[in-house]
Amino acid sequence: MGAALRRIQLGSALSAFGLGFTVPYLYVYVAQVRDLGAGTAGVVLAVFAMAALAVLPFTGRVIDRRGPLPVLVVASVVASLGAAALGFSSQITASVLSAAVLGAGTAVMQPALATMLVRCSDTGTRTRAFATQFFLQNLGLGIGGLVGGQIVDTSRPESFTLLFLIEAVMFLVLGAITATVRMPRTPALAKAAADGSAGQGGLRVLLSHRAMVQLCVLGFVLFFACYGQFESGLAAYGTEAAGIEPSTLGIALAANTAVIVVAQFVVLRLVERRRRSRVIAWVGLIWAFAWIVAGYAGLGHGSQTMATAAMISTYALFGLGESMLSPTVAPLVADLAPESMVGQYNSAFALCKQLALAVGPAVGGPMGASLHGPYIVTFVLFSLGITVLALRLGRRLTPVQDQPSLAAAPSRVVAVSLPENTPAEGPAPVAAVR
């Protein structure tokens, strides 16, 4: 299991490294380097997100029926083709189509990777496995962005083409590395494959599982209140209300990544023996404080230096909350899922995340630019809503789901909450071998 996990983590980190080369510069590349205008750049970014929304509803069932490994390999090839095509696209149609292919490929990779981590871990190792993945992905994105920044030259389109080709190669490396992983097959998975029940259940079963529905709602609010604001509402608020320089946003994002990289394993030791619902509730309080600090930056009467420091601190506080979420939320999705539906549960949660990332900028961007006071108040309330939703979710979890360290034999048995049979009943804990 250890070797398989290491290969998956390595491939995931390298793909994040490739993404880091292009994600910060995609808007500039389309709008300025290819001279297609700000409107086309906005369409390209929107299509990138919409492609994910189009493919994720079908991804989970394919993962459960065919296995996460072949799905990941195909997705990595598709993403590689999209990245390479985008690097050579100089026309509007080609740019939009390439972005759609790239967005679809990278979207499918997320639940496939998550399902591979679940299959190659158990209750005792899953928390650390997801925390390690989050750490390595952020490290890869950060290093990729820094290296890419030394290569790009807006007067030389071929420098951007090089970035996209590096990204394409990294996706292929991900597929090649993970293709060497031998996925374990438990008796339950073998039986499901033999009788054709793998992947069955679908949306009806998932929606009948109240704890999972509550977790999906919580996930939407989490990503809407944080990630959906980073490069839209919060950036607009920082430059318009707080008056910080656009270059300072890069420093703030670097502070966010630095906190994650430095704090991840320190935080992991603090949270892995505590109740997941309480950890998520604390994240809501930390983010509420972060939004208050942002409010001081834009609405206070301090110096420009203090406002700048406050905005950087806001991004850093978000990073602290993110490092607390990585070992709690994704493993909880896996522990809630029946063994034959792990792919569908991961895809459903990824879909909620993608919806939040699509809606967040649309709502937060205009508010952050012009409605400064209401913007801060709105997201302080959303952050407090995270705390309320997390505590409510905790009441629907079994003790082991909420705190895996309570499991008497964590490497063999995990309490799984199966979807309810009747609306009046709560989730019934069932012992299942993973």
Side-chain angles (χ1 to χ4, degrees):
M1 294 290 185
L5 276 175
R6 284 193 293 272
R7 291 179 189 179
I8 296 169
Q9 302 286 24
L10 175 61
S12 178
L14 290 175
S15 67
F17 176 70
L19 277 169
F21 271 89
T22 61
V23 168
Y25 314 110
L26 184 56
Y27 181 90
V28 172
Y29 170 70
V30 176
Q32 300 177 14
V33 176
R34 292 301 184 184
D35 197 26
L36 299 178
T40 301
V43 171
V44 166
L45 291 171
V47 166
F48 185 85
M50 293 304 293
L53 296 178
V55 298
L56 281 172
F58 311 100
T59 300
R61 183 164 290 192
V62 177
I63 290 174
D64 288 330
R65 287 182 174 176
R66 303 297 182 186
L69 182 53
V71 173
L72 179 61
V73 171
V74 171
S76 65
V77 172
V78 171
S80 178
L81 291 174
L86 194 55
F88 289 100
S89 297
S90 58
Q91 303 296 324
I92 294 176
T93 302
S95 297
V96 171
L97 291 177
S98 300
V101 173
L102 177 59
T106 54
V108 172
M109 286 160 50
Q110 296 177 40
L113 273 170
T115 305
M116 289 184 72
L117 285 178
V118 172
R119 298 275 172 84
C120 293
S121 64
D122 52 49
T123 305
T125 60
R126 190 164 296 141
T127 294
R128 187 166 291 270
F130 276 98
T132 301
Q133 183 198 37
F134 186 72
F135 166 81
L136 291 174
Q137 284 183 333
N138 277 275
L139 186 63
L141 283 169
I143 295 175
L146 288 174
V147 175
Q150 305 306 309
I151 297 175
V152 295
D153 182 350
T154 54
S155 65
R156 296 174 53 246
E158 60 269 21
S159 67
F160 285 83
T161 301
L162 176 61
L163 294 189
F164 283 102
L165 289 176
I166 293 173
E167 180 183 37
V169 170
M170 289 299 102
F171 287 139
L172 292 178
V173 170
L174 166 64
I177 291 176
T178 53
T180 65
V181 175
R182 293 186 63 182
M183 296 297 296
R185 287 180 60 90
T186 65
L189 286 174
K191 180 178 181 299
D195 62 19
S197 62
Q200 290 186 1
L203 187 62
R204 180 184 58 81
V205 173
L206 196 149
L207 291 177
S208 71
H209 193 172
R210 295 178 184 176
M212 182 59 188
V213 171
Q214 287 187 353
L215 181 57
C216 285
V217 173
L218 174 59
F220 178 88
V221 178
L222 281 167
F223 287 99
F224 178 79
C226 176
Y227 299 92
Q229 304 307 313
F230 268 8
E231 297 175 3
S232 58
L234 193 56
Y237 174 85
T239 54
E240 296 291 339
I244 66 172
E245 295 295 327
S247 60
T248 305
L249 293 175
I251 298 174
L253 285 168
N256 172 268
T257 301
V259 167
I260 293 171
V261 170
V262 171
Q264 182 63 84
F265 291 103
V266 176
V267 169
L268 177 62
R269 286 195 292 270
L270 295 175
V271 306
E272 62 183 347
R273 301 191 70 84
R274 286 171 171 79
R275 294 173 62 179
R276 288 165 167 169
S277 58
R278 298 292 176 85
V279 172
I280 300 171
W282 272 106
V283 171
L285 296 177
I286 291 171
W287 284 358
F289 178 66
W291 283 108
I292 292 172
V293 172
Y296 167 79
L299 306 176
H301 301 286
S303 65
Q304 188 59 50
T305 300
M306 291 298 292
T308 300
M311 284 301 298
I312 294 174
S313 299
T314 297
Y315 279 82
L317 286 167
F318 277 124
L320 177 60
E322 291 173 73
S323 67
M324 295 169 67
L325 288 176
S326 62
T328 53
V329 175
L332 180 54
V333 174
D335 289 346
L336 285 174
E339 194 161 10
S340 63
M341 292 183 63
V342 172
Q344 292 176 74
Y345 273 55
N346 280 324
S347 295
F349 192 79
L351 180 61
C352 292
K353 170 185 174 180
Q354 202 63 43
L355 282 170
L357 294 179
V359 175
V363 174
M367 289 186 69
S370 57
L371 302 173
H372 303 149
Y375 178 67
I376 294 298
V377 171
T378 296
F379 284 93
V380 167
L381 293 177
F382 267 103
S383 299
L384 295 176
I386 292 170
T387 300
V388 174
L389 290 170
L391 293 176
R392 290 187 62 187
L393 174 63
R395 294 197 289 268
R396 286 209 172 270
L397 302 177
T398 66
V400 173
Q401 286 170 347
D402 204 13
Q403 190 174 338
S405 61
L406 295 176
S411 64
R412 298 297 301 168
V413 179
V414 57
V416 176
S417 170
L418 296 179
E420 296 89 332
N421 292 323
T422 63
E425 295 174 351
V430 178
V433 179
R434 283 206 184 273

